[in-house]
Amino acid sequence: MNALAATNRNFRHAAKLLGLDSKLEKSLLIPFREIKVECTIPKDDGTLASYVGFRVQHDNARGPMKGGIRYHPEVDPDEVNALAQLMTWKTAVANIPYGGAKGGIGCVPGELSSSELERLTRVFTQKIHDLIGIHTDVPAPDMGTNSQTMAWILDEYSKFHGHSPAIVTGKPIDLGGSLGREAATGRGVLFAAEALLSEYGKPISGQRFVIQGFGNVGSWAARLISEAGGKVVAVSDVTGAIKNKDGLDIPKLLEHVVKNRGIKGFDGGDALDAKSLLVEDCDVLIPAALGGVINKENANDIRAKFIVEAANHPTDPEADEILSKKGVHIVPDIYANAGGVTVSYFEWVQNIQGFMWDENKVNNELKTYMTRAFKDLKSMCKSHNCDLRMGAFTLGVNRVARATLLRGWEA
C-alpha cells in the first residue's frame, strides 16, 4: 500500500473513532494548496536540464505550514501529498503551532555537482518564494538535502523579502540554526523509546536494539541509545548490514562510517544480509530508513517486542494488523520522529526572537515536549480503546479539527 493510501486509511479510522462530521472529515483531507514548478538550470557542461519541483501545503489551521524538502528521484505528487498530511498530524501530536507541508525535486542529488545543486535550489526558491514565508510555510531539510541547501534557500528568499532567518529551519549554526538540531530526531527517538519501555517497567540500559538505516537519524539514535546503556546489536545502511550479539561499539562504528562512507567493512561485527536485519532477534526494532519496509511478507517473522518508527510510514497497515495480533507494541512515526520538527520549532522561535538558546535548554525542552506528547497520546488510547498508532492519529486529528471549528469553519 502506498504512503498516501495508508495515511488516508489511518486518518479515516481516527475520524470514525472521533465521530467527526463527514464534511469536516473531507475538508481536513483536502490540501490547502499544491504547487508544481519546472526548474531549468544550466549544467556545468553548458547543457540545460529541467527538473520538476513540488510543494504541497496541507493545512494551516494551527499555524504556519511546516515540512521538509527532499531531493530524490522518486519524488512524486502522491508521496509529497501523504508526507504533507502526515506533517499536519505530527505537529499537532507534538502540540507545536504549525500545520503540515512537504516538498521536493525529482532528481538524483549524487549525480549533481555542488554548483548544480545550488543553481537548482535557487531556481526552485525563485519559483515558490511568494508562496512560502515565516508565517505561511517554513521549509526544512529532508532526504537528499541538508543545512547547506537551507542556507541557499535563506539567501535566495532574503533577496526578495529582506533578511529572513526564520524562513527555513535546519540551517547552519552560523546563519541562525539551532544548537541540538542535528541530533534532534535521533534524540526524540531515544525519548520515545524511553517513554514506551517505561510503560513496561524497563529502562533503556540492557535492552537489545536493531536499527535499520544509519543516516542522520539512525546514527544519532544509535549513539544516544548506547550512551544510555542500550545494546545496539545490528545496524544497516545502503552499503550493507552488520551484527554483534554482544553489542556493536557505536563510537568506533561512527568513525568507520565517516572514513568509509558506510558501515561496509566494519570489523567489529559479522556481515549480515540487509533484508534479514528486520527479523533479527532483539527487544526494540528501529526502522530509520525508507517507508513500507515492514509489510505482510515479513511481519510474521519479526521477533522484536517493540518497534519505534524513526522513518516515515515504515509499517504497512496489513503488517500493523499482523504485529498487533502478535502483541508487538509500535510507537508510530508521527510521534516517534517528531523530535526533528519540535527542535525546528525551537529554531524558528529563536530566529523570530533574535535570541539563541544553549544546547542544554534545547534538549531539556525537547524532552518536555516528547514526554508530554506521549502522555497525551496514551490518554487518547484509553479514551478510544485503541493502539498507539490510533492514539497518535486521534490526538493529532482531534487537535486540527478543533482548531478548524474554532476558526469558524461552516459545516
Side-chain angles (χ1 to χ4, degrees):
M1 186 178 289
N2 77 17
L4 185 61
T7 304
N8 287 348
R9 175 171 155 167
N10 287 329
F11 167 79
R12 289 203 170 91
H13 190 176
K16 196 174 171 185
L17 285 174
L18 292 163
L20 288 192
D21 173 272
S22 62
K23 290 178 192 165
L24 176 60
E25 179 185 337
K26 190 175 181 184
S27 97
L28 288 178
L29 262 188
I30 298 166
F32 172 77
R33 184 189 280 135
E34 296 186 45
I35 303 153
K36 179 184 174 188
V37 292
E38 290 283 341
C39 303
T40 305
I41 59 158
K43 299 282 289 282
D44 291 345
D45 62 6
T47 60
L48 282 183
S50 199
Y51 303 90
V52 179
F54 300 100
R55 187 73 178 166
V56 173
Q57 297 171 332
H58 180 257
D59 190 279
N60 61 357
R62 299 181 70 256
M65 293 165 285
K66 185 91 188 79
I69 289 179
R70 55 176 53 185
Y71 289 1
H72 193 269
E74 286 168 29
V75 167
D76 67 57
D78 261 12
E79 185 196 41
V80 176
N81 221 313
L83 293 169
Q85 191 196 133
L86 273 177
M87 283 302 294
T88 297
W89 317 134
K90 186 187 296 183
T91 51
V93 167
N95 208 10
I96 52 181
Y98 283 144
K102 206 75 174 189
I105 299 177
C107 67
V108 183
E111 291 176 3
L112 296 171
S113 70
S114 178
S115 59
E116 286 167 343
L117 283 170
E118 179 175 351
R119 288 196 286 277
L120 180 57
T121 304
R122 288 183 184 278
V123 168
F124 184 52
T125 309
Q126 288 162 17
K127 298 280 175 99
I128 67 167
H129 77 89
D130 53 349
L131 297 169
I132 60 173
I134 292 163
H135 300 294
T136 312
D137 177 5
V138 183
D142 203 308
M143 276 164 59
T145 58
N146 55 25
S147 61
Q148 178 60 72
T149 321
M150 296 306 107
W152 292 329
I153 294 174
L154 162 62
D155 184 65
E156 198 62 31
Y157 181 87
S158 296
K159 289 176 185 173
F160 296 95
H161 302 274
H163 182 58
S164 311
I167 183 55
V168 285
T169 59
K171 303 179 289 294
I173 302 292
D174 291 339
L175 290 177
S178 177
L179 295 169
R181 174 63 188 86
E182 192 196 338
T185 311
R187 195 176 295 280
V189 168
L190 168 73
F191 294 149
E194 275 178 347
L196 175 68
L197 291 169
S198 71
E199 287 283 303
Y200 299 90
K202 297 173 188 285
I204 291 283
S205 65
Q207 301 298 310
R208 296 165 306 142
F209 291 78
V210 165
I211 300 177
Q212 187 216 25
F214 209 68
N216 173 274
V217 179
S219 62
W220 271 107
R223 178 185 310 198
L224 296 165
I225 284 163
S226 106
E227 282 172 9
K231 273 205 293 191
V232 181
V233 294
V235 297
S236 69
D237 67 4
V238 289
T239 67
I242 47 164
K243 69 172 182 177
N244 182 336
K245 67 178 186 346
D246 299 320
L248 294 157
D249 184 333
I250 298 299
K252 270 194 181 163
L253 177 58
L254 289 163
E255 281 175 27
H256 174 89
V257 168
V258 170
K259 280 184 198 154
N260 301 278
R261 297 191 164 198
I263 61 177
K264 192 177 181 182
F266 181 64
D267 58 10
D270 303 319
L272 173 70
D273 176 17
K275 284 182 184 166
S276 68
L277 180 103
L278 293 165
V279 299
E280 275 297 306
D281 187 24
C282 65
D283 300 306
V284 185
L285 171 63
I286 301 178
L290 289 171
V293 293
I294 300 173
N295 46 49
K296 61 184 179 192
E297 275 76 44
N298 61 11
N300 271 313
D301 302 322
I302 283 173
R303 291 190 273 175
K305 302 170 193 74
F306 304 100
I307 296 174
V308 179
E309 295 185 337
N312 284 319
H313 175 61
T315 314
D316 273 352
E318 295 98 325
D320 244 352
E321 286 170 23
I322 295 166
L323 292 164
S324 178
K325 283 176 188 154
K326 285 176 66 174
V328 178
H329 301 283
I330 303 173
V331 183
D333 51 358
I334 60 170
Y335 164 69
N337 65 25
V341 73
T342 304
V343 175
S344 275
Y345 164 59
F346 299 161
E347 181 179 332
W348 179 75
V349 166
Q350 292 168 74
N351 293 154
I352 287 171
Q353 289 183 324
F355 179 78
M356 306 312 283
W357 302 353
D358 65 35
E359 194 162 350
N360 269 344
K361 179 173 166 74
V362 173
N363 294 341
N364 290 337
E365 287 287 333
L366 175 59
K367 181 154 197 176
T368 302
Y369 272 74
M370 291 296 290
T371 309
R372 189 170 57 208
F374 192 77
K375 279 185 188 153
D376 295 345
L377 188 162
K378 285 294 291 182
S379 86
M380 290 303 267
C381 292
K382 282 194 184 114
S383 302
H384 299 286
N385 190 24
C386 59
D387 62 12
L388 290 168
R389 187 179 308 284
M390 272 307 116
F393 265 89
T394 51
L395 177 63
V397 172
N398 191 44
R399 280 179 174 158
V400 179
R402 272 179 20 208
T404 304
L405 291 169
L406 285 166
R407 289 177 77 125
W409 185 82
E410 297 274 324

